[in-house]
Structure formats: C-alpha cells, structure tokens
Amino acid sequence: MLRARRGTARTIVGIMPELRSTDTVTGLLAEIADVGRDRQRGGYSRPVFSTAERDLTGWFIAHAQRRGLDVHTDLNGVIWASSGDLSSGESVVTGSHLDSVPGGGAFDGPLGICSALVAFDRLQQRGFTPLRPLSIAVFPEEEGSRFGVACLGSRLLTGAIDPDRARSLRDADGNTLAEVAAASGLDPRFLGQDDGTLAAVGTFLELHVEQGRGLVDLSKPVGIARSILGHGRWRITVEGQGNHAGSTLMADRRDPMVTAARVVVAVREAALAHPDSRATVGRLTPVPGGTNVIASSVTLWLDVRHPRHEIVATVVQAITTEAGRLAAEEGCRVTVAEESLSGTVQFPTGLRDMLSHTLPGSPLLDSGAGHDAGVLAARVESAMLFVRNPTGVSHSPEEQVEADDAEAGAIALADALQALLTRD
Amino acid sequence: MLRARRGTARTIVGIMPELRSTDTVTGLLAEIADVGRDRQRGGYSRPVFSTAERDLTGWFIAHAQRRGLDVHTDLNGVIWASSGDLSSGESVVTGSHLDSVPGGGAFDGPLGICSALVAFDRLQQRGFTPLRPLSIAVFPEEEGSRFGVACLGSRLLTGAIDPDRARSLRDADGNTLAEVAAASGLDPRFLGQDDGTLAAVGTFLELHVEQGRGLVDLSKPVGIARSILGHGRWRITVEGQGNHAGSTLMADRRDPMVTAARVVVAVREAALAHPDSRATVGRLTPVPGGTNVIASSVTLWLDVRHPRHEIVATVVQAITTEAGRLAAEEGCRVTVAEESLSGTVQFPTGLRDMLSHTLPGSPLLDSGAGHDAGVLAARVESAMLFVRNPTGVSHSPEEQVEADDAEAGAIALADALQALLTRD
C-alpha cells in the first residue's frame, strides 16, 4: 500500500488483493458513462451538488476507499483521498473535478479523476519509497456552470473569492450557494480560505483533457502546461420596456433584445480588434422570454480571455463602452458586473522543467481554459498535464479522447507523481 | 335566472339569493390576485394546464355554478358555462382566456372572464326576455406561451390547426401537447375541429384589455374592434459548433450566438423597412447555454404582424434570406419553421355597426394583438370590445386598467350582450 506517514518514508507494500489493479481510464469512465446524461442538449449535465454530481463523488469515494485511501471532505466541499498523514505539509496532490458544463463532454474533469486512480494503481504496482504522502482531490464547481464563478471550490480554499460574496451567489433557480451548500451538508458559515488544508499541500498536479488543438497539431498524446490565459466573466444586464409584440409600434419600442444582440456582435468585434483575445457570449436570458412579448430585460454573460490579462481589461472596457452607447440608442439601460477575474498564470519553471525531464517529448502548451491548478498556483506549487483531444472540441458532446491516449496520460501522470514523491 | 331553452324565449326570473350580485370586475380580479404570481419575472405566469391555470379555471367554474350556469368542458378543453340549451344553435357567447404569457399582467384574459361574470349579473338584475341562450367560454392556451401556437384552443375547435401537428407540439420541458392534455384529463385523440360545439354558437363577443395606446390617446374607456392584424410566428434555429470559450481561437469559431444576434438586428431592420409592420424576437435559447461554452445551437422565435397579411410574408421572406446569408458567413446552418400564421381579420360590418349603435361614442380600433375572437371569426359571427389600458403596456406587469374603466367595460359588455340576446 502506497502510504507515507508524517516525517517518515515507507516502502510500498505491494498490490492489495481487493484492488482491481486492472482498472483502466476508459474502464473507469465507462462506469460513469450513464451518470448525468443530458437527453436534450446531448452529452452530460452534471452541475455541482446535483444528483448526478453526488452520484459521481459517491462513486469516487468508493473507489478511493477500496484503495485504502483516507477520504474526507473539507470545509469548502473539496474531497481529499489520501495515502498518508497530510499534516506533514509536503504532500503531492493530483486531481480535477467531476462537475460539468451543461451538455458537456465525458472527459472534462472526470479524465483527471480516473487518471489519478489509475496512476495510483500503477504506483502501487511499481513498488518504490515515497518521501511524502499522496492525495487525490476532487474540486466542486470547477465549471462555474451553476453559480457563475469558475473554480469556485479552489477559489474559496485559497481565499481568491470573498466568502460573503460566494455565499450569496445564486443559481438559475434563485437558490444561493449558502442554501444549496447547507442542503448538501456543508456549513456555509465555514466556507472560505482554509490555510490548514492548504498547508498540507506541497505540490498540485492536475491532468486534464486538452480543450484545443495543440497536441493534435503536434501529434503528441500528452503535454505540459506553460500558462493559463488571463480570464474573466461578466454579467451584462440590459433593461428596456416589456410590452406586447403585436400592439407596440416599432417606433415606440425600447427593446433590450435588440440592444443585447448588438452587444453580442460588439463582443465579436472587440475580440477581433485585439489579437489573441477570445470573447464569448454563450449564455443569454431574455425576461420574461415569451414569443409575443417584447422583453423587459435581457441578461447575457461575457467570457473574455487573453494571454496577457491586462488586455482582458482593455477588451471588456471596449465592450462596456460600446454597450452603453448601444443601450442609449435604444432607450435602454445597461449594467456590466464582474463575476470573476483571474490574471494570467505562469506555472513555475522549475516544476515544468522537472516534468519535461520526466516526460521527454511532451510539448509545453498555453491553456485557454481555466483550471483549479491555475487558482491553486497562487498558493502552492502547481502544474498540469494535458491529454490529446482529437476533435479539439470541448464543452460539447464532441469532446473526445482516444483510449490509448487516456492510458498514456495515466502513465505519464504516474511517472510525474513518482518523480514528485521521490524528489529530494 | 337568465336561462333560455331550446327554441323558447324565457323571462328573466330575477336575482337568485345565492348570487353575489354585488360582484365587481375589480372585486373578482382581487380574488385571483395571488394565483400564479411570478416572483422572478414579476407579474403572473399562468401557462395552460399549470397548477395556476387550473386554480383559475376551478375558480371560474365555481363562480359559474353559483350563478346556476351549466358547465362543461369540450373535446379541446374549452370550458362553456351556459344559461340555456346550446343545441338551439343561436347562442350568444362571451368569454376570453385565463392563461398568461410568462410574467404577464393581471388583465390580459381574466378581464374578459370577470367582465363576463359581472355582465351576466347585470343582465339578471335588468329582467328582460332573451331570445337565445347565453354562454361564457374560457379558451385554453390563448397566449401560446407553453406550446408555441397562440389561440390553440380556438384553432383546434375551428379546425384552423391540424390536430396531428397540435398533438406533437412540445413545451419547454419536451412534453407534447398530447401528453400534457392527457395528464389534464383530455383525450388527445379527440382534439380537433368540433362542428357540434361550433354549431351551438351564434355570435361570439370577447372583451379584452387594450394592448396599446388607442383608447388612451382618444380618452375613451371602451372601444370596438375593427380588425386584427395579420400575424405569424416562426421558430428560427441556428446550428454551429459547440466548443470551449477559452481554448477556441476566434478564427476557428462557428458561433451560432453571433449569427442569432445578427438575425435579431436583421429582424428590427426588416420591420423598419416595411412601414406598419411589427417584428419581434422576445424568446431566444442558446444550447447548451453555459458562460464558458460557445453554443452549439441557438433557437429564436420570431413574431411578425402587419395590417395586410401579405406584407407579413414579405417581411418574413426578407428575414429568412438575410438569416441564410448571415449563417453562411459564420459557417452556421439556419432553418426557419412556421409555427402559426393568421390572415388579417376584418370583423363583420353589420355586427360592428350594431355595437357602435349600442355603445355610442366607442371608437373603432385595429388590434395588433391576436385573440380567440379573431380565430372564431372564420366560423362564427364575432366581435370584440376593448377596455382602456392607461400605460398602453401589455404582456408585462405594467399592464393596467382603472377600476372605473373595468366596470364601464362590464356595463358595455352587458349592453352589447342584451342587444344580441334580444336581436330579431
């Protein structure tokens, strides 16, 4: 059993008989292939604290316990499955998330969790002497698809979001995080920065499906993260005059849908005007949302990213100014509220170099997508591995990973973890 | 009791003691003021076959029965409360609907039902000899806000919609009308044209809140409908490539939200290019609808109206052509599906003149909004009365009717019904 105790290095005992050491990443993914399927959108909808996500965390905990790992959930709902005493303060942690975007793919999140379990099994089989404990972590609400803030679990843990603000975040049904967390057995009063838990983490290494075409274009199965783009989300609300679609003359309208549509076009134009930036409106809700009703208000969510985070601010400023102009033209009112903002993350060079040495031939990649590893990087030494996605598509049922690449990813993760566990 | 039997004219018996002859329109509206309130959108959300709408129809039936009316629900879910034997084939019918748009006002629909009950009471008090029976009708899904087709009950009744198509209409949760109707006690096999029921209707007169500023500008409490604008609804679906909002370069995108937004702008432009037309997108749904997800498809609903229905077709053709061009530009695919189409309705001159004679000083109005009376007009002699709406706003919580105008409307309705019931 791979188990290190505080301050001591212990020999690997060997494979325990109840372990299914033949588990593969694709085999584990197949076990959860029916959880949270979305028949309307296609793919999976596994929002945090939903039945689907609870089924997945329950499934993970059973796998961790079968491997003899100690499982506990911290004050922010992060699940830790550990092979040793975490209070030694130098543990190596791998993991990812099990929640999904609405209608997401099978790999975004679960690939990292399944690879962590398989990597653990491989390390068991190898028999070596870890110098520190190993944990697998599952972070809640990585996607932010329920409460609007991505990486909410890791942000709370590291103090990157004010807990009062987090508690008052609302889902689409109007429930606050505080209410939903309480219903899920977390005490919302204790959400927030948790230095005790963080102190136990020496290094965090997250494996994730690649969400672009970097590895496809380079014909490589596994890559190493160099950086994560600066990234923010804003909620834009356009208020106009709700009215009847038939009896209201065009000249008498103050239609927030028309303004919102012009803002969507302005978002595209602002992104094109600033090379390397990405700006997206993927979510838009007219109120009340009837066919024969001029909307009274429209809310749209804006996602902006750039390798240099100061350009994110420039792009959003351009959109805000243009939105104000467009709203005034229609007699509407617009407000732009920041929901989250993360600077560009450069992963530490030393750790990157060590991974490059351990995984020769694995290219360095900049990630357009945000990850818990990017949030944790502010407090603990962090790194990431990416596994090739042949479609290059993510946040969609078309997201894909070949079986061979998935297993190659788990081996690469095992190799990297071994290097970290035995690093002087 | 105002009750006519087949082929015979009967004297009004007088007020029955259990009747609350002091009911006022505002008093009746106050009884239902808490049913179906929408805390999120404001106003009321009372979709057909919802708990709220069932509570309202139950409340109406209790009022009808307290007045000694015979109540039955026909094969299409229209509720008829009758004071005599309808098989005489010359009944006078008044009524409206109890369903609402999402976040609608208190008067659109219920004003006509409450006014009908109060008008019935007034006729009782007057004591005169009706030459034919009187009914109050409640039509289901007038707004089309659940299944997408406005005036669905009256369309089914009159054969204006193919029952197979109606049965397969779906609500936002994916339930078909057939399923929902069956769950509400209607046999979906029997939906469709019902000549037996129609044969009993001599004249239909609907009272409705005005949904524009016609009466406000003329300083009149009550008006008479001259026409209803030609009107159609279309469902426009734009399909693109769902993907990750962070890792997908702007150049690699086929984003249906951008195309949908350009279509919304094109709708506004097409309406402005054709004077007197009204074209609206009030409902728009991106799929999957995540903040950090480029949508894979976007559905938007288009509502177009014009005093001349051939112009409706011209406007929709212009929008369809432009939508195709815009979709091609983005590498998306677009489909435009007609959900409903109604020609311009001119209410019959003879009946209009009679109402003008009975209600001197009441102006003639063209209605931008569709109504069951407009659908029924294809099969039975129909007319409408409008009651002033001081805000001119409808399909919104801001819709308003002054108490004095509401009572004046009920008196006007009673006068008009008396004239119809005693017409040679």
Side-chain angles (χ1 to χ4, degrees), chain A residues 39-219:
Chain A
R39 307 276 165 211
Q40 280 197 288
R41 300 182 179 92
Y44 295 95
S45 289
R46 297 160 166 173
V48 68
F49 300 133
S50 67
T51 308
E53 200 235 16
R54 265 198 296 275
D55 287 352
L56 293 177
T57 54
W59 163 88
F60 167 75
I61 289 168
H63 264 288
Q65 289 175 335
R66 189 185 302 154
R67 284 162 172 81
L69 298 173
D70 296 326
V71 178
H72 85 280
T73 301
D74 71 16
L75 299 174
N76 293 299
V78 183
I79 302 169
W80 303 84
S82 307
S83 70
D85 182 349
L86 292 181
S87 59
S88 73
E90 288 184 14
S91 65
V92 173
V93 182
T94 185
S96 192
H97 61 98
L98 290 167
D99 67 303
S100 81
V101 295
F107 304 94
D108 180 353
L111 184 71
I113 301 297
C114 295
S115 301
L117 290 167
V118 171
F120 177 83
D121 295 344
R122 295 294 168 275
L123 293 178
Q124 292 279 74
Q125 292 164 318
R126 287 179 188 175
F128 67 95
T129 303
L131 299 178
R132 47 192 69 86
L134 174 66
S135 295
I136 304 176
V138 180
F139 289 90
E141 183 68 329
E142 193 269 352
E143 298 292 3
S145 49
R146 181 157 185 184
F147 291 101
V149 177
C151 302
L152 186 57
S154 53
R155 278 180 210 272
L156 281 164
L157 172 64
T158 58
I161 184 171
D162 176 58
D164 279 336
R165 196 194 142 212
R167 277 185 280 265
S168 63
L169 291 170
R170 287 180 191 276
D171 66 12
D173 295 329
N175 308 303
T176 63
L177 173 64
E179 290 160 359
V180 175
S184 301
L186 284 179
D187 188 328
R189 291 173 301 172
F190 300 140
L191 294 177
Q193 186 168 335
D194 180 356
D195 289 333
T197 295
L198 276 177
V201 182
T203 305
F204 180 62
L205 174 62
E206 179 171 5
L207 177 145
H208 204 278
V209 60
E210 198 199 351
Q211 300 179 288
R213 302 189 47 80
L215 292 168
V216 177
D217 292 346
L218 295 165
S219 298

Side-chain angles (χ1 to χ4, degrees), chain A residues 264, chain B residues 238 255-264 323 326-328 330-332 334:
Chain A
V264 170
Chain B
V238 186
D255 184 346
M257 183 71 97
V258 172
T259 300
R262 294 193 203 272
V263 169
V264 170
L326 292 167
E330 181 77 18
C332 290
V334 69

